[in-house]
Amino acid sequence: QVQLVESGGGLAQPGGSLRLSCSRVVSGSTGRLESMGWYRQAPGKERELVADITSGGSTTYADSVKGRFTISRDSSKNTVYLQMDNLKPEDTAVYYCNAKYIKLTTTTRRNNYWGQGTQVTVSS
């Protein structure tokens, strides 16, 4: 019902920049979009939150990327971006787009959707 497609990954040098984008396509009954964000997973490490943005526009960043990364979206909320500046080798990971939906019936139900991931490599 929700498809997320990431793009924009690649190779960058330390101190360089990349911009990731995530396109969202929805069909059927999904409930209400609660937030979208970016997670990353490096080899041998847990998947971690990088940044997210709620439907209302509030943002959250991991401490490791504060001041360097910026999450944003278009007006339709169909595309979310991650502007990555001053990249460091430790930013190397697969970056995944995430979308959270909420359904209000008898109980509250939340569902997570994930993109396929895009590789970001920071190396000189």
Side-chain angles (χ1 to χ4, degrees), residues 47-66:
R47 185 175 297 185
E48 64 174 350
L49 173 69
V50 178
D52 69 8
I53 182 167
T54 69
S55 182
S58 298
T59 58
T60 301
Y61 295 93
D63 289 341
S64 60
V65 307
K66 286 181 179 177

Side-chain angles (χ1 to χ4, degrees), residues 20-63:
L20 307 183
S21 64
C22 173
S23 298
R24 177 175 65 100
V25 179
V26 179
S27 62
S29 179
T30 61
R32 178 176 63 84
L33 178 67
E34 200 167 36
S35 66
M36 294 186 69
W38 292 92
Y39 291 70
R40 68 185 181 188
Q41 187 167 22
K45 295 185 177 181
E46 297 282 342
R47 185 175 297 185
E48 64 174 350
L49 173 69
V50 178
D52 69 8
I53 182 167
T54 69
S55 182
S58 298
T59 58
T60 301
Y61 295 93
D63 289 341

Side-chain angles (χ1 to χ4, degrees), residues 3-4 18 21 28 37 42 44 48 50 53 69 73 94-95 102 108:
Q3 295 183 351
L4 303 172
L18 287 172
S21 64
E48 64 174 350
V50 178
I53 182 167
F69 292 8
R73 65 190 179 194
V94 177
Y95 285 70
I102 184 171
T108 300

